[in-house]
Structures are given as structure tokens and as C-alpha cells.
Amino acid sequence: MAPPLLLLLLLRFFSLLPPAGGRGELRAFVVAHSHMDVGWVYTVQESMHAYAANVYTTVVEELMKGKQRKFIAVEQEFFRLWWDAVATDTQKQQVHQLLQEGRLEFVIGGQVMHDEAVTLIDDQILQLTEGHGFLYETFGIRPQFSWHIDPFGASATTPTLFSLAGFNAHLISRIDYDLKADMQKNKKLQFVWQGSPSLSERQEIFTHVMDQYSYCTPSQIPFSNRSGFYWNGIAAFPDPPKDGVYPNMSLPVTDSNIHLYAKTMVANIKERAAWFRTSDVLWPWGCDKQFFNASVQYSNMDLLLDYINKHSDEFGVTVQYATVGDYFQAIYSRNLTWEIRDSQDFLPYSTEPFQAWTGFYTSRSTLKGIARRASSLLYAGESFFTQYVRKHPASSICKCGALKQLQSLRWAVSEVQHHDGITGTESPKVKDMYMNNLMYGIFNVKKLMASIIFDMNNAKKNGEVYSSVYNKDSGIPGATDVDQYVVVYNPLAWNITTFVTVSVSHLAMSVYDELGLPVPAQVQSSVESHSTYDLYILVAISGLSYRKYSIKALNGKQSAFIGRSVKYKQKDITRADQESQQLLPVVNNCYQVLFDQNTNLMHSITERETNQTVQLTQEFLEYHVNGDVMKGPISDNYLFAPNASAVPVSKAVGLEVVFGNLMTEIRQYFYSNVTAQDYIYAVYTRMYTVPEGYDGKLLCHRIEQEYSVGPLELNREAVLRTSTNLNTRQLLYTDSNGYQIQKRAFKAYMNNTVARNYYPMVQTAYIEDDTTRLMLLAERAHGVSSQGNGQVEVMLHRRLWNNLQWDLNYNLTLNDSSVVRPVIWLILGTKDVTNVLYRTSGLALEHRPVVMFGALSDKPKLPRQLQQNSVHGSPVTVPPNLHLQTLSIPGWRYSSNHAEQVHNVHMGKQKQGDADFSRVLLRIRHLYEVGEDPVLSQPVMVNLKSLLNGLGSVILVEERSLTGTWDVNTLKRWKWKTAQYPSKGFSNTTETSENSIVTVHPKEIRTFFVYFQGQ
């Protein structure tokens, strides 16, 4: 099979070579595409029914009719649903043929086109891996180009991600309107992007920014009152029209109008060409929900392209159907030298002076929180299942069924990364779809983890195990009188010491470990319920291991500490007496926090090791926004357009402090006035004291805050502003997708300065002066800004309504009446100290232990089988500057030998057999940048055999590309010429591992397939 394929590729390559000589006549690459949102206004099911299935059915049919026709396919979720449920065997054969001929091209290849602002790098990688695994297993193909045309701003993480996945070029569109105009004028829309400062040229990628027309065909045409080039019209919901007549179908091409159509198209091609350096013009043909009737699309465009090519001398343009790969191949062949862009991103994104797309950083905070909890549970479930399969080959759990449970959550977490998903920019019914899919996947993985515990301890039937993830909004099982045991799993590959919370019905409780020894614990009144108590248990667990604790209700000398509650008088903060300041100290080994008893607000924090004191106050404010388009700019799901500065929300603050030996909790309640009975805002601040014999470094150094915000009034945007006396010069630092840090200088604009200085905080934000840094770590995405020197404010919640007809038509007004409960950890200290703490702390917040509950029968002691096997096998631990990013059994059945995989696909062998349980996917990430820390920024040598020793004897390690589909030794990415690197060629920069020992350099993400003995 190889020679003819090679010949085809060579012919294709030569056909794409530019004509000799300079710019010459223009050549337009007509790229047919359909932008298919996995969600947004309509659910996936509604979209499949109304148009998405028809896109693939009719496109495949039409491509078979004309050898010159081409099409690019993007979102795999829709394609896979079509492939599995709609496509006939004939259509499947045709897809294989079209892919081989290069006339159908998969670009990006992820499940969705992920958002770039508020997603976590782990989840971006997951959704890409899911799509790529399917494409490689089914077709033996690997996408090599991106098409990120719709995310609202572009992150600097993405170019690194796509480089690691083996892409040759990257394409984006939505960047700030004034920046795009400037780049367009100066022909700088194409450059080589070095997204990571530490990886720089090793993982750079050629990047194309679409011009002002973006990804849609220009719809206005001078000779018709209908749109142009959309001969199939606009998709109709809920049902496709029976007669095939859709709204707004373009005028068919006829002898009488073909010249007018050609002139319009050529004029647009020439206008675009003036903004780029070569005579190759990318002309996207399509838009949202297009090509559901590909027949009428291609039959009209065929005529038009033929006509322009017959008159190319007159027009000075030739046109051809093309894929994104065809276009980039032509640009690459030009052999030009390109400018380098450093690691600066394209956020935030504005479309005009009063349209800053910074509201979506916070929209639908509950969905953002659940999406991250689901991702974290999936991370835990993957490593838990992988260890179980490796250590218990003769298990009673059906592995295929277990993999399906994991896959349901992989699918749901991938789906919600869509750029109208986790962004909160979807309609309510689509939000419900995401939530339902996430909750279904969460339920499945909890059930799987509980059944694994059950199987490994082969517990009796009355020891029912049920599971709940450690966080307040996941519904911890109701308090019970029965003795309980809890199983706590640490999903991180570090030893952790932390607290987990269990809801109980008595104050007098005791907690014991597997050996019957007492465990430090504290019980206190619950914030959320008057009838139950919160039991905080101090757990110390090795990497990727679990422990069991039994909880008994009794009045023994070993009972848990009881927190003592002191309620202070509510204070009117508008009339606080500044003369007689009375300060209430709350102290642990790392910090002294002072509260001002005149206002019940925080006053200052002292870092005890350096004795450095920072004045620090926190208050809730609201931005009031306009909802009437007749009165000015509006805020909506996407946009943030405040009327004026933020307004303080409370005039009175209530204070209650629960003092305890292990933890002190400060509860502040914010009232709109002194007589108000109900509060909309509250902060619960927790400080931990760790007893001797435990490693309390991380626990002691964090000030944990949980907020309760809502329900808000309409057209209010709620922020928590933390003001300090640090001289920060209004500089803010925020993370890109939990991967790297961006420096954000405050910029003054003619209009909308507040909103245009908001940035996404996915995991981390901080402010600092010359010596001291205040870090904020989050478990969901928020908008964050520094609107004044020494200040950082986090937007926690939004509730909006407006009368913009477009928003009303699609139900995109964000009338979110929920109460949100986000958590943020504060770390204060010198730059050196915070540098050491914040990466591990951020991951400790992201991946809190998973807590599973079981009821015990009334035996006085733990059953024998619960005492043994306390930790399953040996722990898996990496050094503190590395993170075990993935340990999973993907289940893909493809061969990791490419020639063999392509052969299997051609022979139709790839369909048989169960999932492959022998291949383990391992990713290791270096957490630090070059030069960030004298010790932690060093490269690290890892022996993979000894790291995974507890899972069995490693017999083979293969290093792979990020999504697993390339052997890194055969991955040769295009190397684009820059002034820094004047020669063009192929880049392959990975040192591959000998003897399973790898050296991981700063910011690297290394991906491996690992195989064990006895498989």
C-alpha cells in the first residue's frame, strides 16, 4: 500500500508549490467548513437532529461526486456521534477514502474547540487526547493543524500544547479589535509564537491570526438583499424543513449573476491579500451551522470557482478548494523569515470600545466549580483504577464496565471545555445538559471507586460503601448514628497532610486509624446546618494511596477536640470609631491575623517567620450594570460593562469565631444595613494548627477562605476586594490555564478601563512589592483585576438581564439567581517562600483527597480485613517540583507502531477486540520555569521503573507526543525560519529515555506509554 500513497502525497505536495517568482497573481485557498458549537444555544441532541448529522452525511456524499472538492472537520463530539449512530458502512468506507486522498481533513481533532481563558491545562489535554485517540484508532491519522477560530481571546498555553501534540501550525481569530487592526495594517498577522518562556524555540509554532472577516464568508453582497455564498441558508430548529427550503438561502449562481458573484469574491480576496506577506489567501467558506445541505453549497461554488479560474487573467486571481493543511503547506513552501512572538497572550479580548469580553471569566460560577470538581474526581478515579487493574488482575470487577464508567466522565469533562461551555455563555437548557452529563459521570466514577474499595477489602454486605467528594457542595451523606468508616484517597504523587470534613450528628466523636490509634480531629457547629456538626480529621497519606479511619460516637478520653464558638456584636462599619482600635488576634504557627473589633473586618496579617506585617482588609463590592440597550453599553454572559466604580454592599458586619486546638474558623456575615436580618455575603476563614509529628508546612501556610455569595439582585456583579499596603504599582500576575504566569500591567483606556483590566484567573493570581507577595489560589475560574495600588479583586458572581434582542432570542441573559460557594486559599510571605509553596498548594487545592464513606456493623473493633492492606501497595511519589499529571488506562486499541496501525486500519482489523488494559498512559510535568527558584527550577532525573515499582515490573517505556499518537522519535514538526533560526527544516528536540531514566526540564510535559510484566 505504501508506494501509491507516497506518490499521492508527493503529487499533492507539488501541486501546492507556489508559482515561481514573487507575489505574482493571488491564489485563494477556499476552505469549506462548518463551525459546530458543542452546546451554546441548543443542546448537542437538538443540534444533531436539526443540522449536525446532515453536515457529515451530505458533505461525504458531495465530496465523492467531485474530485476537486474538499472539507475540514473539527469537533469530534459531533463526528463521533454521527459515526457511531448515523453513518452507514458505505459512508464509513467513503470517509476512509476521502481521508486518504487528503480531501477530508480533521483539524484540531479534539472533542471540542476548547475555551482558552478559563480552562485548566489538564482538561485541555484530556479533550484533545480523547479526540486524537479516536481518530488514530479509527483512521490511523493524526491532526497537524489547529483551527481555534472562536475562543474569546488566545492563551499562550495553547501554542505550547499544540506543539507538544505534533501540530505544524496554529490558527486563531478572536484577538483585541485595535490590536488586530494594527497587525493587519503592518502585515504582522503571521508569526512564530514561543508560548512558553522556558521551552521557547523548542516548542514554538507558526501562528496565523485571521483577518477582520474572521472565519465566516462575507455575507453582505452588493447585488442581493440575501446573504452571499450561503446557498443552503440558515439551519432551522427544531426540525429540518420538509421541503428543504431554509431561511435566507443565497441566490443560486446563474449566467446572469455569475460575474457579479465572481467580482464580489475576487474583491474580498484582494482586500484580504493586502494584509498578508504572501500571495496565498486563506478564504474560509462557511460559518456557524453550515453545510447541512452540502449539495446546494458545492454545486454553486463549483460554477463560481471554474468561472474565476477561466478568467484569472482578467481577475488576477486563481481559486481552489483546499484544506487548512494545503494553505499552511503553501505558506511553508515560501521559505520566508518570520518574526517571533514571545510568551505574551492575547487576553483580554474586546470587539469594540465598550465590548470587553471579560464577564465570562466568572459567568455561571457553579458550572465552573462543578466542571473542575468533576475533572479532579476523574484524575483520582483514573489513577485509582489503574493501580487496581495492575495489582488485582483477577479482580471481580468487570474491567470493561469500569472503563465505560470512567469514559462517561472523560466525555462529560471534555464536552464542557467547549468555548460556550465552561465559559458560562450558554443558554440555561445547555447549562443543564452539561451539568447532567457531569453529574452522571461523577456518579459513575464515585460508584467505581467505592466498588474497588469494596472488592479490595472484600467487605461484608452490610459494610456498604458509598462515596462523596470532599467539598461542601457535593452533598456529604447525612449525619448518622451508626459508626462510620471513611476511606480517604490521595490522588497526588506527593505525601500530603491535610484535613477532610465529615458531617456528623454528635459533638462527642472519636476517630481511629487502621491500627486503632486515635487520630487528631476537631468537631464544631456546622455553618450550613443547625442539626449537624462538621468533623475535621487530620489525614497524612502517601502519594496515590488511601487510608481508612473509623468514626465512633462516644464520650471517651480520646474524643475529638470541640471547637468553642464566640459570637461578637454586629458592628456598623459606617460609624466605626477609629480612635480606640481594639484588635482580635487569631494565631497559628505561620501567621497572626488581626481583626478590627470596631468593624469586624480583617485588619492585618503578620508572617511570623520574618515578622513582616501587611495591612490587609477585605470587602465585598458590586458593580452596577445597565440592562437597557437604549441607555448604553450592557453586561451579558460574555461582556462586562460597569456603569461606574464598584459600590460597597454592606453597612454592618457580624462576626463569630470558632476557636479550636487544630483549627480556628472566623465567620463574617455582611449585612446591607444594621437592621437587616438576612445576609447575601459571608466569608468563612480557616487557619490550621498542626500537632507535633505531622508535616504541617503547607497546611500552616494557607489561610483558607470559603465565600457564600447570592442570590444577587439583577444587574449586579459581585467582587471581593482585598486591599493591602503593599506598593504593587498596580501590577497583577495571573496564571494561564494553571500552566504558567502572565504579568498584567494596568492599562488606561479612553473607554471601559475597568472591564479591560480584568483577566482570567484559572488557578493563581498574586500581587507583590519588592519583598512580599500575596497569593490567591482558586478551585474554579474567576475574573480578577487590580484596580488600585496594593489591591486585588476577584469577581465571584454575576446576575444579569438585558433587552438586547439577540440575547433574548437565544435566552443568553444570565439571570443566575444561585448562591455560589467558591474557595480561595491565601498565602502571604516573601517571594522565595511563596515560590516554594504555591505550585504544590495550588495542586493540593485542585486535587483534594477523595472521601468515601461506609457504615460499620456494631462490632467493637474494625473488621480484620480493614486493618490489613491499609495502603494499597507501595506509594507513588515524585519530587515537589514535578507533578504526576496523568496515570490512566486509556483503553485505545491502536498499535503504537505507526506502519502497523495504518496497515491494520486498511485491512479493517482495528474494529475487533476489547479495550486494551495493558497500556498505561503516564504524563509528568515540571512545575517551574527556568530561573524561577535556585533549587526547584533544576532539571529532575526520574527512574520510571522505580517510580512505578508499586504497580509491577516495568518492561517497556515508549515516549509519545502529548496526546499519545506519535512516537517522539518519528515526530518531525516543521521548523519555520526566523531571524533567530535562519534555516528551515524539521524540529525534533526530545531526548528520549534510555533504561527508563528520563530528565525532565523546566515546564516540560513528558508523555509515556508504560507496559508491565505479566500482561
Side-chain angles (χ1 to χ4, degrees), residues 251-266:
L251 287 174
V253 174
T254 61
D255 288 347
S256 60
N257 67 17
I258 193 163
H259 189 72
L260 296 171
Y261 259 122
K263 269 174 60 177
T264 304
M265 185 169 176
V266 166

Side-chain angles (χ1 to χ4, degrees), residues 394-409:
S395 61
S396 65
I397 291 175
C398 162
K399 288 191 295 200
C400 288
L403 190 62
K404 283 197 170 67
Q405 288 175 302
L406 283 167
Q407 282 166 337
S408 69
L409 191 52

Side-chain angles (χ1 to χ4, degrees), residues 868-915:
Q868 294 132 23
N869 194 10
S870 64
V871 173
H872 56 197
S874 49
V876 178
T877 50
V878 296
N881 50 357
L882 296 187
H883 169 44
L884 188 77
Q885 187 159 327
T886 310
L887 182 69
S888 74
I889 294 175
W892 300 119
R893 297 183 298 259
Y894 57 72
S895 166
S896 51
N897 176 312
H898 183 60
E900 190 178 296
Q901 173 60 13
V902 170
H903 177 73
N904 289 347
V905 169
H906 288 320
M907 302 306 288
K909 283 187 192 167
Q910 81 284 10
K911 293 171 191 141
Q912 294 116 26
D914 284 338

Side-chain angles (χ1 to χ4, degrees), residues 108-220:
I108 311 177
Q111 286 290 93
V112 297
M113 185 185 295
H114 67 251
D115 167 68
E116 298 194 33
V118 299
T119 47
L120 196 59
I121 186 170
D122 307 56
D123 301 328
Q124 298 176 354
I125 293 170
L126 170 76
Q127 74 86 19
L128 214 52
T129 304
E130 277 296 284
H132 285 193
F134 163 77
L135 286 173
Y136 195 52
E137 180 176 273
T138 313
F139 305 113
I141 62 149
R142 305 173 283 202
Q144 293 179 39
F145 303 98
S146 108
W147 181 255
H148 254 222
I149 54 174
D150 202 31
F152 321 132
S155 157
T157 305
T158 316
T160 304
L161 204 71
F162 287 163
S163 305
L164 290 166
F167 287 15
N168 287 318
H170 177 36
L171 184 148
I172 60 177
S173 181
R174 290 185 183 269
I175 66 169
D176 231 36
Y177 70 99
D178 41 9
L179 177 61
K180 182 179 275 198
D182 188 57
M183 291 169 78
Q184 211 168 256
K185 193 175 80 194
N186 296 304
K187 297 192 182 185
K188 290 185 187 281
L189 290 169
Q190 293 170 320
F191 47 86
V192 170
W193 195 355
Q194 297 182 347
S196 158
S198 294
L199 301 174
S200 60
E201 78 282 351
R202 287 188 295 142
Q203 299 299 343
E204 67 189 14
I205 195 165
F206 180 80
T207 303
H208 171 105
V209 183
M210 285 188 150
D211 58 50
Q212 68 189 42
Y213 290 103
S214 192
Y215 63 87
C216 290
T217 317
S219 55
Q220 266 64 50

Side-chain angles (χ1 to χ4, degrees), residues 409-629:
L409 191 52
R410 289 177 192 168
W411 185 282
V413 172
S414 296
E415 176 184 75
V416 80
Q417 307 311 314
H418 171 61
H419 58 268
D420 280 302
I422 196 167
T423 49
T425 53
E426 64 282 288
S427 65
K429 68 180 173 186
V430 173
K431 182 261 296 178
D432 292 342
M433 174 197 80
Y434 292 129
M435 285 292 246
N436 291 341
N437 292 348
L438 287 165
M439 296 315 279
Y440 174 70
I442 285 171
F443 174 76
N444 281 335
V445 172
K446 284 181 178 177
K447 206 163 72 173
L448 170 62
M449 292 180 78
S451 56
I452 287 174
I453 294 278
F454 195 78
D455 185 59
M456 290 204 295
N457 294 296
N458 75 85
K460 305 237 171 32
K461 285 287 173 266
N462 61 0
E464 186 194 345
V465 180
Y466 49 100
S467 153
S468 169
V469 179
Y470 164 51
N471 67 335
K472 292 289 170 65
D473 52 15
S474 69
I476 285 175
T480 161
D481 291 331
V482 206
D483 286 350
Q484 287 183 313
Y485 68 87
V486 293
V487 176
V488 184
Y489 177 61
N490 166 24
L492 290 166
W494 302 313
N495 301 336
I496 59 155
T497 303
T498 190
F499 282 93
V500 296
T501 317
V502 179
S503 194
V504 294
S505 55
H506 299 279
L507 261 180
M509 305 296 293
S510 298
V511 182
Y512 300 96
D513 67 11
E514 304 89 346
L515 302 173
L517 300 172
V519 174
Q522 178 172 319
V523 67
Q524 60 193 45
S525 63
S526 168
V527 163
E528 287 170 43
S529 149
H530 295 303
S531 57
T532 63
Y533 301 95
D534 288 336
L535 173 65
Y536 287 82
I537 305 168
L538 183 65
V539 298
I541 313 176
S542 324
L544 266 57
S545 303
Y546 69 84
R547 293 197 56 184
K548 305 193 201 70
Y549 301 91
S550 64
I551 302 172
K552 297 172 187 286
L554 72 153
N555 292 307
K557 58 179 189 297
Q558 305 292 5
S559 65
F561 299 117
I562 294 176
R564 182 174 51 86
S565 166
V566 179
K567 288 196 169 78
Y568 295 86
K569 199 170 156 225
Q570 181 185 312
K571 292 294 162 71
D572 180 343
I573 56 176
T574 58
R575 309 175 61 171
D577 176 7
Q578 289 308 312
E579 297 306 305
S580 60
Q581 217 173 35
Q582 280 190 301
L583 300 175
L584 168 74
V586 179
V587 185
N588 70 2
N589 294 334
C590 296
Y591 299 116
Q592 171 179 275
V593 180
L594 296 179
F595 287 83
D596 182 343
Q597 292 192 281
N598 286 326
T599 60
N600 287 340
L601 295 173
M602 200 181 279
H603 170 272
S604 62
I605 302 177
T606 302
E607 205 275 319
R608 293 184 63 192
E609 197 178 338
T610 57
N611 209 21
Q612 177 93 18
T613 299
V614 174
Q615 305 294 316
L616 190 148
T617 56
Q618 292 184 309
E619 60 177 336
F620 288 106
L621 302 100
E622 286 176 348
Y623 287 101
H624 293 206
V625 296
N626 168 43
D628 184 351
V629 289

